[in-house]
Amino acid sequence: MTGSDTPASFRLGYVPGVTPAKWIRTWQDRLPEVPLHLHPLSPTEAAEAVRAREVDAALLRLPIDRTDLHAIPLYTENTVVVLPKDHPLTDATKITAADLADLLVLHPLDDSLDWTAPPGQPAKERPESTADAIQLVAAGVGLLIVPQSLARLHHRKDLTFRPLADAPVSQVALSWREDAGTELTEQFIGIVRGRTLNSTRGLTPPAPAPAAAKAKKPAATPARNQKRTAAPTSRGRKPRRGR
């Protein structure tokens, strides 16, 4: 990657709970001369940030509006119920939707789970964000259903979480614009997909250093150019003179 067409850096957006550290390390190993800048994004604005070219790509949760965007799923997350540590449901190893039927379950506006109908009883108003909903759970107002990574991100000593059976799962994906096929975007796609450095879509490996030229042996002197020497005579004998 050389020349004026090479971008000076790569801008990567990510939503809460997603940890791109392992991919960043690979990027730094492969492209140490190209800075990778991280941009935290809220779940509700992530797709639009990619569409508006505020970032070159983003790690976000599906589903999203895919207008003008590509998205490749990377992995899925377990879904859990966040509840106070002294709640009766903490005795269960796994919670079901039936267990929540009569309980108030908060449904924040930035919820990333693709619900047809969330379980439990809805609150009169939806919290603005998952962080706000966590505060309400801690205050004893209700329970919250989130991807497990968000439960860990918003960990509190007075709260815990349990797996929720038969719930939608969260899919983390990499998204970028359909018309943003830059070389750096292709490099990051290759990294998250596990392509090796020598892959056809990976970085072109540096050309190996030319092997040291082998020292040439001096050409043998043609026999006709060699100076002939007289054959050695026997010791003590002189060449016979002609009579």
Side-chain angles (χ1 to χ4, degrees), residues 24-155:
I24 294 172
R25 287 193 295 269
T26 303
W27 177 279
Q28 292 170 341
D29 289 340
R30 295 187 185 182
L31 296 91
E33 76 285 1
V34 182
L36 189 153
H37 300 299
L38 291 174
H39 294 262
L41 301 171
S42 74
T44 55
E45 69 181 1
E48 185 55 38
V50 180
R51 194 175 288 110
R53 303 181 193 274
E54 295 172 9
V55 293
D56 298 302
L59 294 165
L60 42 69
R61 290 186 178 86
L62 300 177
I64 59 169
D65 175 7
R66 297 203 187 189
T67 304
D68 300 327
L69 300 179
H70 286 301
I72 51 171
L74 302 177
Y75 60 90
T76 59
E77 300 179 283
N78 294 327
T79 302
V80 299
V81 180
V82 180
L83 64 169
K85 281 190 173 180
D86 58 358
H87 196 280
L89 285 179
T90 57
D91 294 335
T93 56
K94 182 173 289 188
I95 297 173
T96 66
D99 296 328
L100 303 175
D102 298 325
L103 302 176
L104 190 147
V105 177
L106 302 166
H107 189 205
L109 294 174
D110 63 357
D111 179 36
S112 57
L113 297 171
D114 192 17
W115 293 106
T116 302
Q121 300 297 315
K124 291 182 180 179
E125 295 184 5
R126 296 179 63 181
E128 288 290 329
S129 67
T130 297
D132 292 337
I134 289 287
Q135 298 298 325
L136 294 174
V137 175
V141 173
L143 307 183
L144 175 64
I145 302 172
V146 291
Q148 185 170 308
S149 66
L150 287 178
R152 289 175 172 167
L153 176 67
H154 296 288
H155 171 72

Side-chain angles (χ1 to χ4, degrees), residues 155-236:
H155 171 72
R156 291 175 52 119
K157 292 183 178 179
D158 53 349
L159 300 180
T160 187
F161 59 85
R162 294 290 184 272
L164 179 62
D166 303 324
V169 294
S170 167
Q171 275 195 317
V172 173
L174 176 68
S175 181
W176 68 99
R177 283 186 60 94
E178 290 180 347
D179 59 358
T182 67
E183 185 175 353
L184 291 183
T185 301
E186 285 296 326
Q187 297 304 331
F188 196 78
I189 294 169
I191 287 171
V192 299
R193 281 184 160 174
R195 295 183 193 139
T196 64
L197 184 62
N198 294 326
S199 170
T200 54
R201 283 191 170 184
L203 272 175
T204 302
K214 294 183 179 180
K216 293 184 178 180
K217 294 182 180 180
T221 305
R224 64 175 178 271
N225 293 334
Q226 292 179 354
K227 186 177 181 180
R228 293 186 178 182
T229 58
T233 59
S234 302
R235 177 178 290 184

Side-chain angles (χ1 to χ4, degrees), residues 2-19:
T2 58
S4 58
D5 293 337
T6 302
S9 64
F10 186 73
R11 301 165 301 164
L12 178 65
Y14 68 101
V15 298
V18 176
T19 53

